[in-house]
Amino acid sequence: MAAESTPRRRAVLGAAVAGASAATLLPAARANAATSAASAASAAGGRPSPLPVPTVIAHRGASGYRPEHTLGAYQLALDMGADIIEQDLVPTKDGHLVCRHENDITGTTDVADHPEFAGRRTTKTVDGQQLTGWFTEDFTLAELRTLRATERIPAQRPNNTLYNGRWTVPSFEEVLRWAADAARRRGRPVWLYPETKHPTYFRELGLGLEQPLARLLRRFGLHGADAPVFLQSFEPTSMQRMSRLVDTPRVVLLSSLTSQPWDFKVSGDPRTVADLITPEGLREIAGYAHGIGPTLDLVIPRRSDGTLGTPTTLVADAHAEDLVVHPYTLRNENSFLPAEFRTGTDPNRYGDVFGAIGTFFEQGIDGVFADQPDTALLAAADFRASRD
């Protein structure tokens, strides 16, 4: 796909960024008019209405309230009004894509309670990190379906443990069917944001993620440039591969400045994230992707005391290349917030989330990943109202 033909920020956000300000929101009446005439096509993955800016992306579903990557977390996020719902994809032994943040399912399922799988516990090295536990690539989809999902961080989110065991591990195909059903009921598409996890690692195991993902997108009619889907990966070459398979919008995720994408490390490419966020690096990304997903710290770094420092030029530089900017991750708990926005000393108490995210919205970001999408939606509405 030629770089010059790749539609990027304005194309994927549509009228929401058509004006001079990136903080505009397409009025509901116009959004409904844009979709009413083609609601059937939209339900099947047709052209969606433009996204509001800032866009709220439900991080692993409403993971602040339900065990992550379950249909319960996805449905709650949709009910709250999240603009997009995220899925992380890893493969099973028989090549199905399932929704887990990691292939290590030790802390997100009840696999340890299944004596029939005790012998599957093993030690592996995934992207240079040694892990001991149970891994999706050692289970068939049928076997994974016998497990139940659990809360990943129960010490920080004890209320979520109420829902332990309620839901299974969903396949991405199951999520696509759920989204299509919800779209038909709503009369407008459900936006999704799947991520290819550890694609180089899985490719080396003969379980490449890109081809199966492309096949599913094509089967559900979500392979076009106007599909209500963003694809994402921390490995740039995974999005390059996807660009040759489908026209679905793509985003390159960016970790800390000194980190190096695993595919770069394996191939001997010496560049780090610091190189990718230069104007030259962003220009290269714009040749095969539509946006970037940086950590919030790449937008506004934190000082040594945990407070926010001086904003970088990343948002402006990315917008100059017509790239969408969707940073991660907004969480309500004190332990995740910049120091000046924390309330009290309890790390699990909610802090001044509105103040924190408002500061990031002021930098012109196009959206944010959030564990508690209802909070982020209120913050986005406040921000847009302040710009009216």
Side-chain angles (χ1 to χ4, degrees), residues 135-155:
F135 300 83
T136 60
E137 64 266 28
D138 296 329
F139 292 78
T140 66
L141 179 60
E143 289 172 331
L144 276 181
R145 288 189 187 282
T146 67
L147 306 180
R148 312 299 289 188
T150 60
E151 171 57 37
R152 181 178 60 88
I153 48 175

Side-chain angles (χ1 to χ4, degrees), residues 25-36 49 188:
L25 171 68
L26 186 70
R30 288 175 58 200
N32 291 337
T35 58
S36 61
S49 57
R188 62 187 187 279

Side-chain angles (χ1 to χ4, degrees), residues 56-99:
V56 172
I57 305 148
H59 187 235
R60 310 174 198 172
S63 58
Y65 306 113
R66 301 289 186 271
E68 64 189 30
H69 290 313
T70 59
L71 288 178
Y74 297 155
Q75 185 63 54
L76 181 58
L78 189 65
D79 293 343
M80 286 179 167
D83 302 307
I84 314 179
I85 301 172
E86 185 204 30
Q87 301 77 42
D88 295 325
L89 305 181
V90 293
T92 64
K93 183 178 181 179
D94 48 349
H96 293 277
L97 299 180
V98 294
C99 302

Side-chain angles (χ1 to χ4, degrees), residues 96-133:
H96 293 277
L97 299 180
V98 294
C99 302
R100 290 289 87 188
H101 175 54
E102 293 290 344
N103 54 322
D104 181 355
I105 55 173
T106 308
T108 61
T109 71
D110 63 354
V111 64
D113 298 330
H114 287 251
E116 68 273 25
F117 297 135
R120 306 277 180 96
R121 188 171 185 269
T122 187
T123 298
K124 300 190 178 194
T125 300
V126 181
D127 292 3
Q129 181 181 7
Q130 190 175 81
L131 303 167
T132 298

